[in-house]
Amino acid sequence: MSYNERRGGYRRRHRDDYDDRRREAFETPEDKLKTSIIKLGEVDPMEELPRLQKQIQEFAPVNVALLSEVTEQPYKIPYYAALVQLLHEPPTDAEEAGARPSLGRLVLEDFWKGFQTYLDKLEWRETRLCIQFFAHLTVAEIVSPDSMVSLLQAFTAVLDGFNVSHKRAKRAVLCAAEGLMISGAHLKLYSSRSVSEIINAVQIFSETTTIPKWLVRPTSSLHTDAVTIENGDEMIDTILQTLQTLNDTGFAQVAESFPQPYLAFAKPDDLTPFNLPLVLVPPETDIELDGVANNTEEAAQIKKDEWPEYYLRLFDDEVSPNPNTPAGYAVRSALLDIISVFDVNRKECARLLLEYPKWNLPGAFKPKPGAPADVEPALDKYWQLESTILELILGMLLILPESPQRSIYYISLITELCKLSPSTVGPAVGKSIRKLYAALSEGLDVEAARRFSEWFSIHMSNFGFQWVWKEWVPDLALAMQHPKRAFMRRAVEFEIRLSYYDRILKTLPEPMQSPETLTIAEKAPGPYFEYEDAANPYHEAAQGVLNLFRGRAKAEDVIGQLQSLRTTLEASEERPVNVDATANSIVIQSLLHIGSRSFSHLLNAIERYLPLLRQVADSSNLLSAAEAKAGVLTSVGVFWQHNPHMVGIVFDKLMQYQIVDPNDVVGWTFTHGVGLGLGSSASLNTFEWGLVRGALDKANGRVLIARRKITALRKEEDDTRARAKARANESMEVDADAKPEDDAAVDNPALTTTLKALDSLTSEQKSGLSRTLEGFVACITQNPYARTVITEQAWHNRANWDDVEWTAWETWGWYRQFCRAYSPYLREFSQALYTVSFSKLETSTDPTDELLKKIWSAATDST
């Protein structure tokens, strides 16, 4: 090594040593102030507020940014309102006090600008939280009541808009109602008539909404369309009930429901209330594509959110707050905001949820076991915090037709809560599971039951699969298709996916381990190679194909073997009924056998032999293309009949590589699934619905991808034309005699190809929806038990139902979910779909046919 190299090494080592030294981070005064504002209330917010006021006024910043804190820490809104009130007090220095307006007023002026930005962008959650902030300031007499009334009326005016969507109206109602709940006492003193008008607007919206609430109830009763249920509350109905209760008592319960820390401080002298400027809620805008139907992804998302929101109640009013009361609604709203805002950080969300009592009024929740009860219990309160949180999280998880966030967020959040406080959250989880399990026999919606089983299995996997299964042993006497029995089978199946068969088997009590109970499979899930048995007449033929696959033969060689196999089977003494179908089955099952070792083996096998799969799925002398594709799907179903999860995975890959179409999967599910013991010919179970849903999502996703591509290509084309026009204008300025180029549209080959592809994909999407609807109509109208389970008498006699009644009831449930979940897409083709599926039932007055059409109309006629 040279001298220079050694010296360079020394310098490098010296620099590394210097960089590794721990240096204290320097905080500017602005950083320290911002940190203090963010961390307000870490110990005691009432003691920290005067200190923070003094810190701000001594530093004398140009402004204090509170907008992000209000929208990112909504549980602190009352205390930030108190801070603004304190900042209206003049500084101790008299000269400084007269030199500039109060810092509190400057904060409000800047805050209003941010609020206007949120409103212009129609960011409804942030807008609503800002309105809560203004409402608290109204109670503190910082904001004038007349301007607050005008602000709330601007949102109720949205309800009078022409053809206003349910989503827009619901968001506007939330903004106006929550602002009125907090500031209603002061607003009523200013204008009792205005308060009544706001409440009446909410009531009219609730009574006249065209969205059928009965279709999204968490519990299903097919014989009634009542919107009120014992164990659930609809959001708008809850808001209306709370407002009416407050108005009837002159808003006297506000102080017992919402924290008002600003009332503990003296009002600044000679304060001129801040007048909120007049606002106009911007109109709703739908993003549309020129020349393309307006059911874009954005529009579909808007329409999906147009359903009313029902929250399931699990506990009595003594355990968790009743949301129809002012105090109960205040707690639910605050907890919902925490869960919604902190969806990006479930650990922080869990911590804040367990710390929520410090931000609520004293005495609302019971202290933790062993903690000193230094506060007297509040009247009609003293709830259990953990049960309240669990009830709300599970209520959000089970909202129909879709939960606000992905299910895994709520499941993970419950896990984090258990890790933070296992001694208190664990019992609440157990009680919640038992309540939901009991609801299964009371009509819990099939989609809600499916999500419940997912949560149960994932939660058990996070805590050693420890559950007291013996509590449910008596339910083994119920019908096999009873929702409780179905839940046990589904939960065990999910647990096996998350672990392994032998471990889950050991967690079950002995009665459940018996194969006769059908709770757990007799053996671990695995493949079933029909031709592996030497006694099978086609065993030798299958071995020949397997040897080719094992030797990594080319796809062309296997195709040649397939043709030879067909010829051999044709000439054999044991000639099958359909030679092509048998040969195809041998090839498909042999390929799946090669790929059954792991998921990567499966993908490699499919990708390597795509030409072979396309050949098998194509028409032949004895099979049409539809029959050949159905045969491929049947072979997959037979091979993985002991592991239904793999059936869905392989189907998805076959659709991804376009071996089969989504319409083929839908048709096969309704017509061929019965042959595998996966369902009955006139019913649809949870597994089969999963196959249909996967196919429909694949078709809808392809259409959305094509639309995005068209949007990008058109934008690119517009940009190119704009640049060309700009260059032409520049050239005309230089050469006055130059003629402008023709602006006629130039053909874009990529755009033309994509538009043609979109037409084809849209036709495929429509075909899949039509086939699904036809399948449901056929299942229900051809099943005599589907006609009996919809009567009130039959429902009250459900304790005596057998498997056929419960499977018919489940099929009705999945039909409801199909209409709810895919309503944005069904509306686009509603007329054509109705004509194909309901034309024969149009004049029928049979109760079954009437209910079919009623559910369809409820999902497609809403606007």
Side-chain angles (χ1 to χ4, degrees):
M1 181 181 292
S2 68
Y3 172 77
N4 290 333
E5 290 175 336
R6 287 196 300 271
R7 184 175 61 181
Y10 167 76
R11 288 179 176 176
R12 185 164 55 251
R13 289 194 302 271
H14 177 72
R15 184 174 63 251
D16 292 343
D17 293 341
Y18 177 80
D19 290 341
D20 289 340
R21 294 175 186 172
R22 298 186 64 181
R23 291 173 293 176
E24 184 178 355
F26 175 73
E27 273 191 317
T28 64
E30 292 87 350
D31 294 336
K32 292 181 179 180
L33 180 60
K34 184 177 181 180
T35 301
S36 298
I37 294 174
I38 293 174
K39 294 185 176 181
L40 171 65
E42 291 286 330
V43 180
D44 187 339
M46 297 303 293
E47 292 183 1
E48 295 175 26
L49 279 170
R51 292 201 299 266
L52 182 57
Q53 173 204 6
K54 183 179 179 181
Q55 180 182 357
I56 293 174
Q57 291 183 337
E58 287 179 352
F59 179 66
V62 177
N63 198 2
V64 179
L66 284 182
L67 184 67
S68 60
E69 311 314 322
V70 166
T71 56
E72 294 177 8
Q73 301 186 88
Y75 49 93
K76 295 184 181 180
I77 287 177
Y79 298 94
Y80 284 126
L83 178 61
V84 172
Q85 180 192 34
L86 291 175
L87 292 177
H88 274 78
E89 295 179 358
T92 55
D93 188 346
E95 294 182 1
E96 184 180 353
R100 53 180 289 184
S102 70
L103 189 55
R105 192 171 189 87
L106 294 177
V107 169
L108 271 180
E109 291 174 353
D110 184 71
F111 190 95
W112 177 263
K113 296 177 184 177
F115 166 73
Q116 187 68 59
T117 301
Y118 286 141
L119 184 60
D120 292 341
K121 295 180 180 179
L122 289 179
E123 296 181 0
W124 288 103
R125 185 183 70 194
E126 288 75 11
T127 299
R128 177 174 54 82
L129 295 176
C130 290
I131 290 176
Q132 291 183 17
F133 182 66
F134 293 137
H136 281 288
L137 290 175
T138 303
V139 180
E141 300 184 19
I142 302 298
V143 169
S144 63
D146 56 333
S147 63
M148 188 66 194
V149 168
S150 299
L151 177 63
L152 300 182
Q153 288 176 336
F155 286 90
T156 56
V158 171
L159 306 179
D160 299 327
F162 175 73
N163 204 24
V164 60
S165 70
H166 186 81
K167 173 190 176 180
R168 177 177 170 85
K170 181 171 65 175
R171 297 293 188 269
V173 164
L174 279 170
C175 292
E178 293 189 1
L180 182 59
M181 289 179 192
I182 297 171
S183 60
H186 282 65
L187 300 187
K188 193 164 186 176
L189 292 175
Y190 167 74
S191 175
S192 177
R193 179 179 178 182
S194 298
V195 170
S196 298
E197 289 176 351
I198 294 174
I199 297 176
N200 289 337
V202 176
Q203 182 174 1
I204 293 173
F205 166 70
S206 177
E207 294 174 350
T208 60
T209 179
T210 58
I211 303 292
K213 298 178 181 179
W214 57 268
L215 194 55
V216 289
R217 292 174 307 184
T219 55
S220 301
S221 298
L222 297 173
H223 63 275
T224 178
D225 56 2
V227 297
T228 303
I229 56 177
E230 295 181 1
N231 56 345
D233 303 285
E234 198 274 322
M235 176 181 287
I236 300 301
D237 293 342
T238 298
I239 289 174
L240 180 59
Q241 179 64 38
T242 303
L243 284 176
Q244 291 174 340
T245 301
L246 286 171
N247 192 40
D248 292 342
T249 59
F251 290 86
Q253 300 181 43
V254 171
E256 303 170 359
S257 307
F258 296 91
Q260 298 176 329
Y262 34 80
L263 298 181
F265 301 100
K267 177 185 174 183
D269 298 330
D270 301 327
L271 174 66
T272 302
F274 181 82
N275 288 315
L276 303 174
L278 296 175
V279 298
L280 180 65
V281 181
E284 190 173 28
T285 57
D286 287 339
I287 301 176
E288 298 183 1
L289 301 177
D290 295 335
V292 182
N294 66 346
N295 59 332
T296 61
E297 181 182 20
E298 292 80 3
Q301 291 295 331
I302 289 173
K303 293 176 181 178
K304 284 181 181 179
D305 196 37
E306 286 183 354
W307 294 100
E309 294 181 14
Y310 273 93
Y311 289 85
L312 197 65
R313 291 290 310 278
L314 301 179
F315 304 108
D316 297 332
D317 294 348
E318 293 77 17
V319 178
S320 63
N322 181 358
N324 292 300
T325 62
Y329 183 87
V331 170
R332 171 183 281 189
S333 177
L335 294 177
L336 279 176
D337 288 335
I338 293 175
I339 295 171
S340 176
V341 171
F342 288 90
D343 60 343
V344 296
N345 189 342
R346 65 181 186 276
K347 293 186 178 181
E348 182 69 7
C349 182
R351 182 185 69 83
L352 291 172
L353 289 173
L354 292 177
E355 293 180 356
Y356 172 70
K358 70 181 290 186
W359 303 107
N360 197 271
L361 295 172
F365 293 95
K366 294 180 179 179
K368 292 184 178 181
D374 52 357
V375 179
E376 289 293 328
L379 183 64
D380 297 329
K381 295 183 181 179
Y382 220 48
W383 305 299
Q384 295 177 8
L385 174 64
E386 292 78 12
S387 296
T388 301
I389 295 173
L390 261 293
E391 180 182 72
L392 187 56
I393 295 175
L394 292 174
M396 298 180 73
L397 171 65
L398 302 180
I399 288 177
L400 299 174
E402 294 180 359
S403 54
Q405 278 102 3
R406 291 183 179 272
S407 298
I408 194 62
Y409 168 60
Y410 303 110
I411 296 172
S412 302
L413 180 56
I414 294 175
T415 300
E416 296 300 331
L417 288 167
C418 290
K419 291 179 179 179
L420 285 177
S421 183
S423 61
T424 59
V425 179
V429 169
K431 290 188 292 185
S432 300
I433 291 174
R434 292 178 177 91
K435 291 285 186 179
L436 286 173
Y437 180 77
L440 289 170
S441 59
E442 300 300 323
L444 185 67
D445 189 88
V446 291
E447 172 64 14
R450 184 192 65 81
R451 295 183 208 167
F452 170 37
S453 60
E454 284 188 352
W455 166 60
F456 176 85
S457 57
I458 295 175
H459 188 81
M460 292 300 110
S461 72
N462 290 325
F463 297 97
F465 298 99
Q466 298 177 11
W467 178 250
V468 192
W469 286 95
K470 63 181 181 180
E471 293 181 1
W472 298 342
V473 168
D475 292 331
L476 295 177
L478 298 172
M480 188 184 69
Q481 298 299 332
H482 189 282
K484 289 184 176 180
R485 294 282 305 277
F487 168 81
M488 284 189 266
R489 287 195 301 274
R490 192 160 53 245
V492 168
E493 179 187 338
F494 289 165
E495 286 187 352
I496 293 174
R497 294 183 195 175
L498 298 167
S499 182
Y500 55 93
Y501 177 83
D502 290 336
R503 181 180 182 185
I504 303 305
L505 181 65
K506 293 177 182 178
T507 64
L508 300 177
E510 187 174 348
M512 289 187 178
Q513 296 180 9
S514 174
E516 288 76 15
T517 63
L518 298 178
T519 303
I520 187 170
E522 190 172 359
K523 57 182 180 180
Y528 169 70
F529 188 33
E530 186 179 1
Y531 307 103
E532 189 172 20
D533 187 357
N536 190 290
Y538 309 115
H539 171 75
E540 293 298 330
Q543 290 300 314
V545 176
L546 269 177
N547 290 334
L548 287 176
F549 286 139
R550 287 168 178 159
R552 297 180 178 272
K554 294 182 179 180
E556 294 78 9
D557 296 338
V558 184
I559 292 174
Q561 177 68 14
L562 173 62
Q563 300 297 339
S564 175
L565 178 59
R566 289 173 176 171
T567 303
T568 303
L569 293 176
E570 183 75 28
S572 67
E573 296 180 358
E574 299 178 352
R575 181 180 182 276
V577 176
N578 192 315
V579 172
D580 289 356
T582 302
N584 291 349
S585 175
I586 292 173
V587 170
I588 294 297
Q589 290 199 39
S590 299
L591 182 62
L592 292 174
H593 186 67
I594 293 297
S596 64
R597 294 179 59 186
S598 68
F599 190 63
S600 58
H601 280 79
L602 172 66
L603 288 181
N604 290 335
I606 291 176
E607 291 175 355
R608 182 179 182 87
Y609 293 103
L610 280 176
L612 170 65
L613 290 171
R614 294 193 175 99
Q615 175 76 19
V616 172
D618 200 2
S619 59
S620 63
N621 295 333
L622 301 177
L623 294 174
S624 65
E627 291 173 333
K629 291 178 179 179
V632 171
L633 297 174
T634 299
S635 298
V636 174
V638 170
F639 185 82
W640 286 112
Q641 60 183 287
H642 299 310
N643 191 352
H645 180 52
M646 284 301 300
V647 175
I649 291 176
V650 178
F651 279 13
D652 179 74
K653 294 306 171 186
L654 293 177
M655 288 187 289
Q656 178 181 334
Y657 290 104
Q658 299 183 349
I659 305 302
V660 297
D661 298 328
N663 189 35
D664 299 319
V665 174
V666 172
W668 180 89
T669 304
F670 280 103
T671 56
H672 292 79
V674 60
L676 307 177
L678 303 175
S680 63
S681 58
S683 67
L684 198 78
N685 59 27
T686 302
F687 162 72
E688 293 167 336
W689 165 249
L691 298 180
V692 172
R693 182 183 60 184
L696 295 178
D697 290 344
K698 181 72 71 174
N700 295 334
R702 288 174 176 173
V703 172
L704 295 178
I705 291 173
R707 288 194 175 121
R708 291 196 199 103
K709 187 174 181 180
I710 290 173
T711 303
L713 289 172
R714 284 181 170 168
K715 185 178 183 301
E716 180 182 348
E717 188 178 34
D718 292 342
D719 292 343
T720 302
R721 289 179 177 176
R723 287 193 295 268
K725 188 174 182 179
R727 288 194 297 268
N729 291 337
E730 291 176 0
S731 63
M732 289 180 67
E733 292 178 0
V734 176
D735 186 1
D737 295 332
K739 295 183 179 180
E741 296 182 6
D742 186 11
D743 289 338
V746 179
D747 288 339
N748 185 334
L751 180 59
T752 302
T753 302
T754 307
L755 285 171
K756 291 181 179 179
L758 177 62
D759 290 338
S760 175
L761 293 173
T762 303
S763 177
E764 180 183 274
Q765 177 191 39
K766 179 181 177 181
S767 178
L769 294 170
S770 177
R771 185 65 189 86
T772 304
L773 183 59
E774 291 177 40
F776 273 116
V777 171
C779 277
I780 292 174
T781 56
Q782 295 174 11
N783 187 346
Y785 296 99
R787 300 178 178 274
T788 59
V789 297
I790 64 175
T791 64
E792 183 176 2
Q793 181 181 0
W795 177 247
H796 293 312
N797 191 42
R798 62 187 180 278
N800 298 318
W801 280 6
D802 205 346
D803 291 342
V804 288
E805 285 90 357
W806 282 116
T807 53
W809 181 84
E810 184 178 13
T811 304
W812 273 110
W814 291 125
Y815 173 63
R816 287 161 57 100
Q817 176 63 10
F818 165 68
C819 293
R820 293 182 305 222
Y822 294 98
S823 59
Y825 311 103
L826 296 175
R827 291 191 193 106
E828 297 299 324
F829 315 107
S830 59
Q831 189 60 45
L833 296 179
Y834 184 90
T835 302
V836 172
S837 299
F838 294 108
S839 57
K840 297 180 180 179
L841 310 178
E842 191 166 4
T843 60
S844 174
T845 58
D846 182 83
T848 304
D849 301 339
E850 289 290 322
L851 184 57
L852 276 169
K853 292 183 288 185
K854 179 181 178 181
I855 294 173
W856 168 263
S857 299
T860 57
D861 293 347
S862 55
T863 57

